[in-house]
PDB file of all heavy atoms in Angstrom:
ATOM      1  N   GLU Y   3      96.902  39.426   9.410  1.00  0.00           N
ATOM      2  CA  GLU Y   3      96.629  40.018   8.098  1.00  0.00           C
ATOM      3  C   GLU Y   3      96.931  41.505   8.077  1.00  0.00           C
ATOM      4  O   GLU Y   3      96.581  42.211   7.145  1.00  0.00           O
ATOM      5  CB  GLU Y   3      95.182  39.767   7.688  1.00  0.00           C
ATOM      6  CG  GLU Y   3      94.184  40.250   8.708  1.00  0.00           C
ATOM      7  CD  GLU Y   3      92.776  39.988   8.245  1.00  0.00           C
ATOM      8  OE1 GLU Y   3      92.565  40.065   7.034  1.00  0.00           O
ATOM      9  OE2 GLU Y   3      91.924  39.722   9.093  1.00  0.00           O
ATOM     10  N   THR Y   4      97.565  41.997   9.149  1.00  0.00           N
ATOM     11  CA  THR Y   4      97.934  43.407   9.164  1.00  0.00           C
ATOM     12  C   THR Y   4      99.139  43.587   8.265  1.00  0.00           C
ATOM     13  O   THR Y   4      99.950  42.693   8.102  1.00  0.00           O
ATOM     14  CB  THR Y   4      98.274  43.871  10.582  1.00  0.00           C
ATOM     15  OG1 THR Y   4      98.996  42.830  11.213  1.00  0.00           O
ATOM     16  CG2 THR Y   4      97.039  44.201  11.367  1.00  0.00           C
ATOM     17  N   VAL Y  17      96.516  28.370   5.113  1.00  0.00           N
ATOM     18  CA  VAL Y  17      95.825  28.293   6.402  1.00  0.00           C
ATOM     19  C   VAL Y  17      94.356  27.949   6.179  1.00  0.00           C
ATOM     20  O   VAL Y  17      93.765  27.158   6.904  1.00  0.00           O
ATOM     21  CB  VAL Y  17      95.958  29.635   7.161  1.00  0.00           C
ATOM     22  CG1 VAL Y  17      95.153  29.617   8.450  1.00  0.00           C
ATOM     23  CG2 VAL Y  17      97.407  29.931   7.447  1.00  0.00           C
ATOM     24  N   TYR Y  22      90.066  23.296   5.067  1.00  0.00           N
ATOM     25  CA  TYR Y  22      88.911  23.290   4.173  1.00  0.00           C
ATOM     26  C   TYR Y  22      88.886  21.993   3.372  1.00  0.00           C
ATOM     27  O   TYR Y  22      87.871  21.281   3.335  1.00  0.00           O
ATOM     28  CB  TYR Y  22      88.998  24.497   3.224  1.00  0.00           C
ATOM     29  CG  TYR Y  22      87.681  24.927   2.635  1.00  0.00           C
ATOM     30  CD1 TYR Y  22      87.267  26.247   2.706  1.00  0.00           C
ATOM     31  CD2 TYR Y  22      86.864  24.012   1.990  1.00  0.00           C
ATOM     32  CE1 TYR Y  22      86.063  26.652   2.174  1.00  0.00           C
ATOM     33  CE2 TYR Y  22      85.657  24.402   1.442  1.00  0.00           C
ATOM     34  CZ  TYR Y  22      85.261  25.730   1.536  1.00  0.00           C
ATOM     35  OH  TYR Y  22      84.078  26.125   1.006  1.00  0.00           O
ATOM     36  N   TRP Y  24      90.486  19.184   3.939  1.00  0.00           N
ATOM     37  CA  TRP Y  24      90.354  18.009   4.811  1.00  0.00           C
ATOM     38  C   TRP Y  24      88.886  17.764   5.154  1.00  0.00           C
ATOM     39  O   TRP Y  24      88.377  16.660   5.010  1.00  0.00           O
ATOM     40  CB  TRP Y  24      91.189  18.198   6.083  1.00  0.00           C
ATOM     41  CG  TRP Y  24      91.121  17.005   6.983  1.00  0.00           C
ATOM     42  CD1 TRP Y  24      90.097  16.681   7.827  1.00  0.00           C
ATOM     43  CD2 TRP Y  24      92.081  15.964   7.124  1.00  0.00           C
ATOM     44  NE1 TRP Y  24      90.371  15.503   8.480  1.00  0.00           N
ATOM     45  CE2 TRP Y  24      91.588  15.043   8.072  1.00  0.00           C
ATOM     46  CE3 TRP Y  24      93.343  15.719   6.547  1.00  0.00           C
ATOM     47  CZ2 TRP Y  24      92.296  13.891   8.451  1.00  0.00           C
ATOM     48  CZ3 TRP Y  24      94.038  14.581   6.931  1.00  0.00           C
ATOM     49  CH2 TRP Y  24      93.512  13.685   7.864  1.00  0.00           C
ATOM     50  N   PRO Y  32      81.710  12.350   1.973  1.00  0.00           N
ATOM     51  CA  PRO Y  32      81.058  11.071   2.321  1.00  0.00           C
ATOM     52  C   PRO Y  32      79.532  11.114   2.283  1.00  0.00           C
ATOM     53  O   PRO Y  32      78.901  10.083   2.027  1.00  0.00           O
ATOM     54  CB  PRO Y  32      81.552  10.803   3.744  1.00  0.00           C
ATOM     55  CG  PRO Y  32      82.865  11.474   3.811  1.00  0.00           C
ATOM     56  CD  PRO Y  32      82.723  12.697   2.971  1.00  0.00           C
ATOM     57  N   ARG Y 113      73.906  31.738  40.596  1.00  0.00           N
ATOM     58  CA  ARG Y 113      73.634  32.560  41.773  1.00  0.00           C
ATOM     59  C   ARG Y 113      74.632  32.318  42.900  1.00  0.00           C
ATOM     60  O   ARG Y 113      74.605  33.002  43.915  1.00  0.00           O
ATOM     61  CB  ARG Y 113      72.214  32.280  42.283  1.00  0.00           C
ATOM     62  CG  ARG Y 113      71.157  32.888  41.373  1.00  0.00           C
ATOM     63  CD  ARG Y 113      69.849  33.058  42.077  1.00  0.00           C
ATOM     64  NE  ARG Y 113      69.267  31.802  42.501  1.00  0.00           N
ATOM     65  CZ  ARG Y 113      67.954  31.598  42.595  1.00  0.00           C
ATOM     66  NH1 ARG Y 113      67.111  32.567  42.278  1.00  0.00           N
ATOM     67  NH2 ARG Y 113      67.479  30.449  42.998  1.00  0.00           N
ATOM     68  N   MET Y 124      83.965  23.383  36.796  1.00  0.00           N
ATOM     69  CA  MET Y 124      84.905  22.268  36.671  1.00  0.00           C
ATOM     70  C   MET Y 124      84.220  20.957  37.053  1.00  0.00           C
ATOM     71  O   MET Y 124      84.379  19.937  36.391  1.00  0.00           O
ATOM     72  CB  MET Y 124      86.075  22.555  37.611  1.00  0.00           C
ATOM     73  CG  MET Y 124      87.146  21.532  37.593  1.00  0.00           C
ATOM     74  SD  MET Y 124      88.244  21.850  36.239  1.00  0.00           S
ATOM     75  CE  MET Y 124      89.387  20.525  36.481  1.00  0.00           C
ATOM     76  N   MET Y 125      83.391  21.010  38.123  1.00  0.00           N
ATOM     77  CA  MET Y 125      82.719  19.793  38.583  1.00  0.00           C
ATOM     78  C   MET Y 125      81.669  19.311  37.603  1.00  0.00           C
ATOM     79  O   MET Y 125      81.365  18.121  37.540  1.00  0.00           O
ATOM     80  CB  MET Y 125      82.091  20.024  39.961  1.00  0.00           C
ATOM     81  CG  MET Y 125      83.097  19.954  41.088  1.00  0.00           C
ATOM     82  SD  MET Y 125      82.356  20.373  42.665  1.00  0.00           S
ATOM     83  CE  MET Y 125      81.332  18.951  42.977  1.00  0.00           C
ATOM     84  N   SER Y 133      84.783   8.500  30.050  1.00  0.00           N
ATOM     85  CA  SER Y 133      84.163   7.898  28.880  1.00  0.00           C
ATOM     86  C   SER Y 133      82.639   7.792  28.989  1.00  0.00           C
ATOM     87  O   SER Y 133      82.088   7.426  30.013  1.00  0.00           O
ATOM     88  CB  SER Y 133      84.762   6.523  28.673  1.00  0.00           C
ATOM     89  OG  SER Y 133      84.001   5.810  27.747  1.00  0.00           O
ATOM     90  N   PHE Y 134      82.018   8.115  27.874  1.00  0.00           N
ATOM     91  CA  PHE Y 134      80.583   7.986  27.690  1.00  0.00           C
ATOM     92  C   PHE Y 134      80.133   6.552  27.959  1.00  0.00           C
ATOM     93  O   PHE Y 134      79.188   6.304  28.708  1.00  0.00           O
ATOM     94  CB  PHE Y 134      80.342   8.344  26.226  1.00  0.00           C
ATOM     95  CG  PHE Y 134      78.925   8.504  25.830  1.00  0.00           C
ATOM     96  CD1 PHE Y 134      78.167   9.530  26.350  1.00  0.00           C
ATOM     97  CD2 PHE Y 134      78.355   7.648  24.903  1.00  0.00           C
ATOM     98  CE1 PHE Y 134      76.861   9.693  25.947  1.00  0.00           C
ATOM     99  CE2 PHE Y 134      77.045   7.817  24.508  1.00  0.00           C
ATOM    100  CZ  PHE Y 134      76.307   8.838  25.031  1.00  0.00           C
ATOM    101  N   TYR Y 139      77.674   2.359  31.298  1.00  0.00           N
ATOM    102  CA  TYR Y 139      77.923   1.056  31.914  1.00  0.00           C
ATOM    103  C   TYR Y 139      77.681   1.110  33.416  1.00  0.00           C
ATOM    104  O   TYR Y 139      77.119   0.176  34.000  1.00  0.00           O
ATOM    105  CB  TYR Y 139      79.360   0.642  31.588  1.00  0.00           C
ATOM    106  CG  TYR Y 139      79.902  -0.505  32.405  1.00  0.00           C
ATOM    107  CD1 TYR Y 139      79.486  -1.803  32.154  1.00  0.00           C
ATOM    108  CD2 TYR Y 139      80.822  -0.291  33.424  1.00  0.00           C
ATOM    109  CE1 TYR Y 139      79.980  -2.853  32.900  1.00  0.00           C
ATOM    110  CE2 TYR Y 139      81.321  -1.320  34.175  1.00  0.00           C
ATOM    111  CZ  TYR Y 139      80.893  -2.605  33.914  1.00  0.00           C
ATOM    112  OH  TYR Y 139      81.378  -3.635  34.651  1.00  0.00           O
ATOM    113  N   GLU Y 148      68.961  -7.377  39.758  1.00  0.00           N
ATOM    114  CA  GLU Y 148      69.684  -7.793  40.962  1.00  0.00           C
ATOM    115  C   GLU Y 148      70.760  -6.760  41.318  1.00  0.00           C
ATOM    116  O   GLU Y 148      71.759  -7.065  41.936  1.00  0.00           O
ATOM    117  CB  GLU Y 148      70.268  -9.206  40.783  1.00  0.00           C
ATOM    118  CG  GLU Y 148      71.366  -9.378  39.747  1.00  0.00           C
ATOM    119  CD  GLU Y 148      70.849  -9.509  38.308  1.00  0.00           C
ATOM    120  OE1 GLU Y 148      69.659  -9.232  38.061  1.00  0.00           O
ATOM    121  OE2 GLU Y 148      71.632  -9.864  37.423  1.00  0.00           O
ATOM    122  N   LEU Y 150      72.080  -2.530  42.389  1.00  0.00           N
ATOM    123  CA  LEU Y 150      72.194  -1.775  43.636  1.00  0.00           C
ATOM    124  C   LEU Y 150      70.915  -1.050  44.034  1.00  0.00           C
ATOM    125  O   LEU Y 150      70.639  -0.873  45.210  1.00  0.00           O
ATOM    126  CB  LEU Y 150      73.335  -0.765  43.521  1.00  0.00           C
ATOM    127  CG  LEU Y 150      74.711  -1.412  43.535  1.00  0.00           C
ATOM    128  CD1 LEU Y 150      75.761  -0.450  43.029  1.00  0.00           C
ATOM    129  CD2 LEU Y 150      75.050  -1.857  44.952  1.00  0.00           C
ATOM    130  N   TYR Y 182      71.537  11.608  32.268  1.00  0.00           N
ATOM    131  CA  TYR Y 182      72.832  11.539  32.943  1.00  0.00           C
ATOM    132  C   TYR Y 182      73.976  11.927  32.000  1.00  0.00           C
ATOM    133  O   TYR Y 182      74.845  12.714  32.362  1.00  0.00           O
ATOM    134  CB  TYR Y 182      73.044  10.115  33.461  1.00  0.00           C
ATOM    135  CG  TYR Y 182      74.318   9.954  34.235  1.00  0.00           C
ATOM    136  CD1 TYR Y 182      74.471  10.569  35.468  1.00  0.00           C
ATOM    137  CD2 TYR Y 182      75.378   9.210  33.736  1.00  0.00           C
ATOM    138  CE1 TYR Y 182      75.644  10.442  36.186  1.00  0.00           C
ATOM    139  CE2 TYR Y 182      76.550   9.071  34.454  1.00  0.00           C
ATOM    140  CZ  TYR Y 182      76.681   9.685  35.672  1.00  0.00           C
ATOM    141  OH  TYR Y 182      77.837   9.564  36.377  1.00  0.00           O
ATOM    142  N   PHE Y 245      72.888   5.755  19.804  1.00  0.00           N
ATOM    143  CA  PHE Y 245      72.916   4.302  19.672  1.00  0.00           C
ATOM    144  C   PHE Y 245      73.280   3.589  20.974  1.00  0.00           C
ATOM    145  O   PHE Y 245      72.604   2.647  21.390  1.00  0.00           O
ATOM    146  CB  PHE Y 245      73.900   3.879  18.568  1.00  0.00           C
ATOM    147  CG  PHE Y 245      74.316   2.452  18.688  1.00  0.00           C
ATOM    148  CD1 PHE Y 245      73.420   1.442  18.370  1.00  0.00           C
ATOM    149  CD2 PHE Y 245      75.562   2.109  19.176  1.00  0.00           C
ATOM    150  CE1 PHE Y 245      73.779   0.118  18.519  1.00  0.00           C
ATOM    151  CE2 PHE Y 245      75.915   0.779  19.329  1.00  0.00           C
ATOM    152  CZ  PHE Y 245      75.024  -0.219  18.993  1.00  0.00           C
ATOM    153  N   ASP Y 249      70.899   0.909  23.214  1.00  0.00           N
ATOM    154  CA  ASP Y 249      71.359  -0.469  23.037  1.00  0.00           C
ATOM    155  C   ASP Y 249      71.712  -1.120  24.374  1.00  0.00           C
ATOM    156  O   ASP Y 249      71.403  -2.290  24.592  1.00  0.00           O
ATOM    157  CB  ASP Y 249      72.575  -0.497  22.113  1.00  0.00           C
ATOM    158  CG  ASP Y 249      72.978  -1.918  21.758  1.00  0.00           C
ATOM    159  OD1 ASP Y 249      72.140  -2.605  21.161  1.00  0.00           O
ATOM    160  OD2 ASP Y 249      74.081  -2.333  22.129  1.00  0.00           O
ATOM    161  N   PHE Y 267      73.256  -2.411   9.453  1.00  0.00           N
ATOM    162  CA  PHE Y 267      74.610  -2.387   8.940  1.00  0.00           C
ATOM    163  C   PHE Y 267      75.416  -3.583   9.422  1.00  0.00           C
ATOM    164  O   PHE Y 267      76.009  -4.305   8.637  1.00  0.00           O
ATOM    165  CB  PHE Y 267      75.303  -1.086   9.337  1.00  0.00           C
ATOM    166  CG  PHE Y 267      76.649  -0.960   8.725  1.00  0.00           C
ATOM    167  CD1 PHE Y 267      76.778  -0.485   7.442  1.00  0.00           C
ATOM    168  CD2 PHE Y 267      77.777  -1.364   9.409  1.00  0.00           C
ATOM    169  CE1 PHE Y 267      78.013  -0.412   6.849  1.00  0.00           C
ATOM    170  CE2 PHE Y 267      79.022  -1.288   8.820  1.00  0.00           C
ATOM    171  CZ  PHE Y 267      79.139  -0.810   7.537  1.00  0.00           C
TER     172      PHE Y 267
ATOM    173  N   ASP K   7      69.212  26.700  46.573  1.00  0.00           N
ATOM    174  CA  ASP K   7      70.290  26.508  45.596  1.00  0.00           C
ATOM    175  C   ASP K   7      71.250  25.413  46.041  1.00  0.00           C
ATOM    176  O   ASP K   7      71.651  24.558  45.252  1.00  0.00           O
ATOM    177  CB  ASP K   7      71.077  27.811  45.405  1.00  0.00           C
ATOM    178  CG  ASP K   7      70.305  28.796  44.549  1.00  0.00           C
ATOM    179  OD1 ASP K   7      69.224  28.416  44.057  1.00  0.00           O
ATOM    180  OD2 ASP K   7      70.767  29.927  44.382  1.00  0.00           O
ATOM    181  N   PHE K  17      73.889  13.104  41.714  1.00  0.00           N
ATOM    182  CA  PHE K  17      73.423  12.376  40.539  1.00  0.00           C
ATOM    183  C   PHE K  17      74.578  12.172  39.547  1.00  0.00           C
ATOM    184  O   PHE K  17      74.736  11.097  38.967  1.00  0.00           O
ATOM    185  CB  PHE K  17      72.282  13.168  39.901  1.00  0.00           C
ATOM    186  CG  PHE K  17      71.765  12.620  38.601  1.00  0.00           C
ATOM    187  CD1 PHE K  17      71.164  11.374  38.535  1.00  0.00           C
ATOM    188  CD2 PHE K  17      71.864  13.368  37.440  1.00  0.00           C
ATOM    189  CE1 PHE K  17      70.678  10.880  37.328  1.00  0.00           C
ATOM    190  CE2 PHE K  17      71.375  12.879  36.234  1.00  0.00           C
ATOM    191  CZ  PHE K  17      70.794  11.639  36.187  1.00  0.00           C
ATOM    192  N   LEU K  18      75.411  13.203  39.364  1.00  0.00           N
ATOM    193  CA  LEU K  18      76.501  13.109  38.392  1.00  0.00           C
ATOM    194  C   LEU K  18      77.626  12.192  38.873  1.00  0.00           C
ATOM    195  O   LEU K  18      78.255  11.515  38.077  1.00  0.00           O
ATOM    196  CB  LEU K  18      77.084  14.501  38.107  1.00  0.00           C
ATOM    197  CG  LEU K  18      76.334  15.392  37.125  1.00  0.00           C
ATOM    198  CD1 LEU K  18      77.011  16.742  37.011  1.00  0.00           C
ATOM    199  CD2 LEU K  18      76.256  14.754  35.746  1.00  0.00           C
ATOM    200  N   TYR K  19      77.895  12.206  40.192  1.00  0.00           N
ATOM    201  CA  TYR K  19      79.100  11.525  40.660  1.00  0.00           C
ATOM    202  C   TYR K  19      78.872  10.138  41.259  1.00  0.00           C
ATOM    203  O   TYR K  19      79.769   9.301  41.192  1.00  0.00           O
ATOM    204  CB  TYR K  19      79.863  12.416  41.644  1.00  0.00           C
ATOM    205  CG  TYR K  19      80.640  13.491  40.924  1.00  0.00           C
ATOM    206  CD1 TYR K  19      80.084  14.730  40.674  1.00  0.00           C
ATOM    207  CD2 TYR K  19      81.921  13.234  40.448  1.00  0.00           C
ATOM    208  CE1 TYR K  19      80.785  15.701  39.969  1.00  0.00           C
ATOM    209  CE2 TYR K  19      82.626  14.188  39.753  1.00  0.00           C
ATOM    210  CZ  TYR K  19      82.058  15.426  39.512  1.00  0.00           C
ATOM    211  OH  TYR K  19      82.742  16.368  38.810  1.00  0.00           O
ATOM    212  N   ILE K  24      80.482   4.550  42.584  1.00  0.00           N
ATOM    213  CA  ILE K  24      80.103   3.143  42.781  1.00  0.00           C
ATOM    214  C   ILE K  24      80.955   2.236  41.906  1.00  0.00           C
ATOM    215  O   ILE K  24      81.495   1.232  42.352  1.00  0.00           O
ATOM    216  CB  ILE K  24      78.599   2.943  42.473  1.00  0.00           C
ATOM    217  CG1 ILE K  24      77.751   3.600  43.557  1.00  0.00           C
ATOM    218  CG2 ILE K  24      78.265   1.467  42.355  1.00  0.00           C
ATOM    219  CD1 ILE K  24      76.269   3.558  43.261  1.00  0.00           C
ATOM    220  N   THR K  37      76.113  -6.780  44.073  1.00  0.00           N
ATOM    221  CA  THR K  37      75.446  -6.397  45.315  1.00  0.00           C
ATOM    222  C   THR K  37      76.120  -6.955  46.562  1.00  0.00           C
ATOM    223  O   THR K  37      75.735  -6.618  47.671  1.00  0.00           O
ATOM    224  CB  THR K  37      73.979  -6.884  45.297  1.00  0.00           C
ATOM    225  OG1 THR K  37      73.964  -8.186  44.717  1.00  0.00           O
ATOM    226  CG2 THR K  37      73.126  -5.964  44.498  1.00  0.00           C
ATOM    227  N   THR K  84      91.347  30.342  10.459  1.00  0.00           N
ATOM    228  CA  THR K  84      90.522  30.671   9.295  1.00  0.00           C
ATOM    229  C   THR K  84      89.238  31.375   9.731  1.00  0.00           C
ATOM    230  O   THR K  84      88.848  32.387   9.154  1.00  0.00           O
ATOM    231  CB  THR K  84      90.166  29.383   8.533  1.00  0.00           C
ATOM    232  OG1 THR K  84      91.373  28.711   8.219  1.00  0.00           O
ATOM    233  CG2 THR K  84      89.408  29.680   7.264  1.00  0.00           C
ATOM    234  N   ARG K  87      90.380  34.962  11.436  1.00  0.00           N
ATOM    235  CA  ARG K  87      91.242  35.935  10.756  1.00  0.00           C
ATOM    236  C   ARG K  87      90.913  36.127   9.282  1.00  0.00           C
ATOM    237  O   ARG K  87      91.537  36.939   8.616  1.00  0.00           O
ATOM    238  CB  ARG K  87      92.714  35.515  10.887  1.00  0.00           C
ATOM    239  CG  ARG K  87      93.210  35.443  12.300  1.00  0.00           C
ATOM    240  CD  ARG K  87      93.239  36.818  12.897  1.00  0.00           C
ATOM    241  NE  ARG K  87      93.381  36.801  14.344  1.00  0.00           N
ATOM    242  CZ  ARG K  87      94.534  36.717  14.986  1.00  0.00           C
ATOM    243  NH1 ARG K  87      95.644  36.623  14.314  1.00  0.00           N
ATOM    244  NH2 ARG K  87      94.560  36.728  16.297  1.00  0.00           N
ATOM    245  N   GLY K  93      83.095  30.505  -0.095  1.00  0.00           N
ATOM    246  CA  GLY K  93      82.736  29.273   0.604  1.00  0.00           C
ATOM    247  C   GLY K  93      82.905  29.360   2.103  1.00  0.00           C
ATOM    248  O   GLY K  93      83.005  28.341   2.775  1.00  0.00           O
ATOM    249  N   LEU K 117      83.001   5.304   6.583  1.00  0.00           N
ATOM    250  CA  LEU K 117      83.260   3.943   6.140  1.00  0.00           C
ATOM    251  C   LEU K 117      83.018   3.822   4.641  1.00  0.00           C
ATOM    252  O   LEU K 117      83.821   3.261   3.906  1.00  0.00           O
ATOM    253  CB  LEU K 117      82.337   2.976   6.875  1.00  0.00           C
ATOM    254  CG  LEU K 117      82.309   1.624   6.194  1.00  0.00           C
ATOM    255  CD1 LEU K 117      83.331   0.719   6.794  1.00  0.00           C
ATOM    256  CD2 LEU K 117      80.963   1.016   6.233  1.00  0.00           C
ATOM    257  N   THR K 138      89.227  13.829  11.944  1.00  0.00           N
ATOM    258  CA  THR K 138      88.211  14.665  11.330  1.00  0.00           C
ATOM    259  C   THR K 138      87.209  15.186  12.348  1.00  0.00           C
ATOM    260  O   THR K 138      86.853  16.363  12.323  1.00  0.00           O
ATOM    261  CB  THR K 138      87.486  13.877  10.226  1.00  0.00           C
ATOM    262  OG1 THR K 138      88.460  13.313   9.380  1.00  0.00           O
ATOM    263  CG2 THR K 138      86.549  14.765   9.442  1.00  0.00           C
ATOM    264  N   GLN K 164     104.664  43.612  14.037  1.00  0.00           N
ATOM    265  CA  GLN K 164     104.791  43.853  12.600  1.00  0.00           C
ATOM    266  C   GLN K 164     105.264  45.261  12.311  1.00  0.00           C
ATOM    267  O   GLN K 164     106.020  45.481  11.370  1.00  0.00           O
ATOM    268  CB  GLN K 164     103.459  43.577  11.920  1.00  0.00           C
ATOM    269  CG  GLN K 164     103.099  42.119  12.085  1.00  0.00           C
ATOM    270  CD  GLN K 164     102.239  41.601  10.973  1.00  0.00           C
ATOM    271  OE1 GLN K 164     101.351  42.280  10.488  1.00  0.00           O
ATOM    272  NE2 GLN K 164     102.505  40.390  10.565  1.00  0.00           N
ATOM    273  N   ASP K 199      87.349   7.825  23.855  1.00  0.00           N
ATOM    274  CA  ASP K 199      85.993   7.578  24.282  1.00  0.00           C
ATOM    275  C   ASP K 199      85.123   6.979  23.187  1.00  0.00           C
ATOM    276  O   ASP K 199      84.102   6.377  23.448  1.00  0.00           O
ATOM    277  CB  ASP K 199      85.424   8.946  24.700  1.00  0.00           C
ATOM    278  CG  ASP K 199      84.133   8.826  25.446  1.00  0.00           C
ATOM    279  OD1 ASP K 199      83.823   7.720  25.884  1.00  0.00           O
ATOM    280  OD2 ASP K 199      83.441   9.833  25.584  1.00  0.00           O
ATOM    281  N   TYR K 220      82.737  -2.594  24.949  1.00  0.00           N
ATOM    282  CA  TYR K 220      81.340  -2.725  24.520  1.00  0.00           C
ATOM    283  C   TYR K 220      80.969  -4.188  24.319  1.00  0.00           C
ATOM    284  O   TYR K 220      79.920  -4.643  24.796  1.00  0.00           O
ATOM    285  CB  TYR K 220      81.128  -1.923  23.241  1.00  0.00           C
ATOM    286  CG  TYR K 220      79.784  -2.128  22.593  1.00  0.00           C
ATOM    287  CD1 TYR K 220      78.633  -1.607  23.182  1.00  0.00           C
ATOM    288  CD2 TYR K 220      79.665  -2.830  21.403  1.00  0.00           C
ATOM    289  CE1 TYR K 220      77.396  -1.799  22.593  1.00  0.00           C
ATOM    290  CE2 TYR K 220      78.433  -3.021  20.815  1.00  0.00           C
ATOM    291  CZ  TYR K 220      77.309  -2.511  21.410  1.00  0.00           C
ATOM    292  OH  TYR K 220      76.097  -2.699  20.830  1.00  0.00           O
ATOM    293  N   VAL K 227      77.887  -7.504  33.213  1.00  0.00           N
ATOM    294  CA  VAL K 227      78.805  -6.685  33.998  1.00  0.00           C
ATOM    295  C   VAL K 227      79.889  -7.582  34.602  1.00  0.00           C
ATOM    296  O   VAL K 227      79.582  -8.576  35.235  1.00  0.00           O
ATOM    297  CB  VAL K 227      78.032  -5.969  35.128  1.00  0.00           C
ATOM    298  CG1 VAL K 227      78.977  -5.245  36.054  1.00  0.00           C
ATOM    299  CG2 VAL K 227      77.020  -5.014  34.534  1.00  0.00           C
ATOM    300  N   THR K 228      81.158  -7.253  34.363  1.00  0.00           N
ATOM    301  CA  THR K 228      82.227  -7.997  35.030  1.00  0.00           C
ATOM    302  C   THR K 228      83.123  -7.004  35.765  1.00  0.00           C
ATOM    303  O   THR K 228      83.365  -5.915  35.270  1.00  0.00           O
ATOM    304  CB  THR K 228      83.093  -8.800  34.035  1.00  0.00           C
ATOM    305  OG1 THR K 228      83.763  -7.864  33.194  1.00  0.00           O
ATOM    306  CG2 THR K 228      82.290  -9.761  33.222  1.00  0.00           C
ATOM    307  N   ASN K 232      85.124  -2.996  35.344  1.00  0.00           N
ATOM    308  CA  ASN K 232      85.198  -1.937  36.364  1.00  0.00           C
ATOM    309  C   ASN K 232      86.645  -1.530  36.581  1.00  0.00           C
ATOM    310  O   ASN K 232      86.942  -0.342  36.715  1.00  0.00           O
ATOM    311  CB  ASN K 232      84.623  -2.427  37.695  1.00  0.00           C
ATOM    312  CG  ASN K 232      83.121  -2.482  37.686  1.00  0.00           C
ATOM    313  OD1 ASN K 232      82.509  -2.444  36.626  1.00  0.00           O
ATOM    314  ND2 ASN K 232      82.529  -2.564  38.845  1.00  0.00           N
ATOM    315  N   VAL K 246      93.241  16.107  33.694  1.00  0.00           N
ATOM    316  CA  VAL K 246      92.460  17.345  33.752  1.00  0.00           C
ATOM    317  C   VAL K 246      92.985  18.244  34.871  1.00  0.00           C
ATOM    318  O   VAL K 246      93.154  19.457  34.687  1.00  0.00           O
ATOM    319  CB  VAL K 246      90.958  17.035  33.971  1.00  0.00           C
ATOM    320  CG1 VAL K 246      90.181  18.305  34.265  1.00  0.00           C
ATOM    321  CG2 VAL K 246      90.384  16.357  32.749  1.00  0.00           C
TER     322      VAL K 246
END
Side-chain angles (χ1 to χ4, degrees):
Chain Y
E3 55 179 326
T4 39
V17 175
Y22 203 128
W24 182 281
R113 287 201 297 210
M124 181 83 179
M125 281 175 71
S133 167
F134 190 66
Y139 166 75
E148 66 279 13
L150 288 164
Y182 183 68
F245 161 73
D249 187 61
F267 185 83
Chain K
D7 284 355
F17 175 63
L18 280 177
Y19 282 91
I24 289 175
T37 40
T84 305
R87 299 293 165 85
L117 165 93
T138 309
Q164 297 208 321
D199 193 15
Y220 172 71
V227 173
T228 65
N232 284 16
V246 170

